[in-house]
Amino acid sequence: PDEARHAEIAREMFLEGNWLAPRIYGEPYYDKPALFYWLTGSSLWLFGPSAWAARLPSVAGALFSIVMTSMWVRNAWGIGAARWTTVLLGTTLFFVAVGRYVVIDMLLTAALTGALSWLGLVLNDPDKKRPVWPMYACTAVGVLAKGPVALVVVAGVAVVAAAFERRPSLLLRLHPFRGALLIAALAGPWYAAAYATDPTYIETFLWQHNFARYALPGALAHQEPWYFYLLALPIVLLPWSILLPAALAAAW
C-alpha cells in the first residue's frame, strides 16, 4: 500500500498544482515533507503514469548512495576497498528492495549518505581545502525529504567524530554557522510557505513524526523498541551479514 499511496499523492500534487502541502483523495496528508512528491510527480509527468516512473527517484537515490559511499571509501582505504564496497552495497538485498520502492526512505538514505560521505572526505583532507557546502546541501535535502532528523543525524556524527579524534577543532573546520545558514536558505522557504498555508500540517509533521515518535512510546503505530534493530540488521544486511562476525572481530 505504501507505493500506491505515495504515487497517488505525487500524482494529485502535480495535477492540482499544489506544491506546498501533499494531499491524497483531496484530503491533507500531514506525514511527510514535499520533496519526495515533487520528484515522483515530476517523474510521472515526464515519463507517464507507470510503476517504473514512480520508482525512479528511489532508484536514483540508491545509485547516488552507492557512488558517494564508494567515493568516501576510496579516499579512506583505497580503490580495492571501494570496488568491494560497490559490489557489497549494490547486492545487499534490503538495500536493493528499498531502492526500487516508492517510499521516502531511500531519498533520506541518499541525503544522509551524501552528507556523511562528504564529512569523511572533509575530515580526511590533509590540505583542508575541500569545500564543506556539499555536506550541508545534502543535509538540506534530507530535511526536505524527512524532516529535522537528517540534521540531527549529521550533526551527531560530526560531534562523535570530533570526540573520537579528540580534536574539537574539527567542528570549526566544518563552519557550522555557515552550514546552518545554507540549510535554512535551501529548506527554510518551503517550511515557511507550508506553515503560512496550513499551520496544522507543519505542527503535526514536526511534533508527531519528528519528536513524539522518539520521545513518547506508542505515539505512532510502527514504533519499535531499541533492540528491534539488533534483530533486524542481520536480516536486512543479507547476504553479507555472514561477514559481520569476522568484521567485528577484526575491528575489536
Side-chain angles (χ1 to χ4, degrees):
D2 287 344
E3 286 201 297
R5 180 171 63 252
H6 291 305
E8 175 62 17
I9 292 170
R11 190 184 73 87
E12 291 187 26
M13 175 177 280
F14 208 91
L15 288 177
E16 295 175 4
N18 176 17
W19 296 101
L20 290 178
R23 303 174 72 86
I24 183 166
Y25 307 129
E27 297 296 325
Y29 185 76
Y30 291 147
D31 289 27
K32 302 291 188 294
L35 177 60
F36 180 77
Y37 305 114
W38 296 344
L39 297 176
T40 305
S42 298
S43 182
L44 292 171
W45 178 75
L46 284 171
F47 303 110
S50 63
W52 76 265
R55 290 168 175 158
L56 188 59
S58 292
V59 174
L63 294 175
F64 179 78
S65 299
I66 292 174
V67 169
M68 291 304 300
T69 303
S70 299
M71 184 185 301
W72 167 59
V73 171
R74 178 173 182 172
N75 178 267
W77 289 287
I79 190 170
R83 288 171 178 166
W84 275 110
T85 296
T86 302
V87 171
L88 266 63
L89 185 56
T91 55
T92 298
L93 296 184
F94 194 76
F95 181 84
V96 173
V98 178
R100 63 183 301 278
Y101 194 56
V102 188
V103 71
I104 297 171
D105 298 72
M106 188 50 71
L107 179 58
L108 176 65
T109 297
L112 291 177
T113 302
L116 296 177
S117 295
W118 200 267
L119 171 63
L121 293 173
V122 169
L123 297 183
N124 287 339
D125 183 13
D127 299 325
K128 299 182 179 181
K129 294 182 179 180
R130 189 179 297 272
V132 184
W133 67 264
M135 181 185 77
Y136 293 108
C138 288
T139 304
V141 170
V143 172
L144 281 172
K146 195 85 170 184
V149 63
L151 181 60
V152 172
V153 170
V154 175
V157 171
V159 170
V160 170
F164 186 79
E165 295 284 341
R166 298 181 181 178
R167 291 164 55 195
S169 60
L170 286 178
L171 296 179
L172 298 178
R173 165 79 177 89
L174 300 178
H175 303 292
F177 181 72
R178 296 182 194 172
L181 291 178
L182 179 59
I183 294 173
L186 294 176
W190 173 80
Y191 277 86
Y195 183 81
T197 303
D198 187 355
T200 305
Y201 172 29
I202 298 300
E203 292 169 359
T204 302
F205 157 66
L206 286 178
W207 166 252
Q208 187 171 348
H209 291 273
N210 283 271
F211 179 76
R213 71 183 303 171
Y214 300 107
L216 302 176
L220 292 179
H222 55 279
Q223 284 177 298
E224 301 290 351
W226 65 269
Y227 55 82
F228 166 82
Y229 298 98
L230 297 179
L231 303 174
L233 280 175
I235 298 175
V236 302
L237 292 177
L238 286 171
W240 304 113
S241 52
I242 60 174
L243 301 179
L244 273 176
L248 292 173
W252 180 263

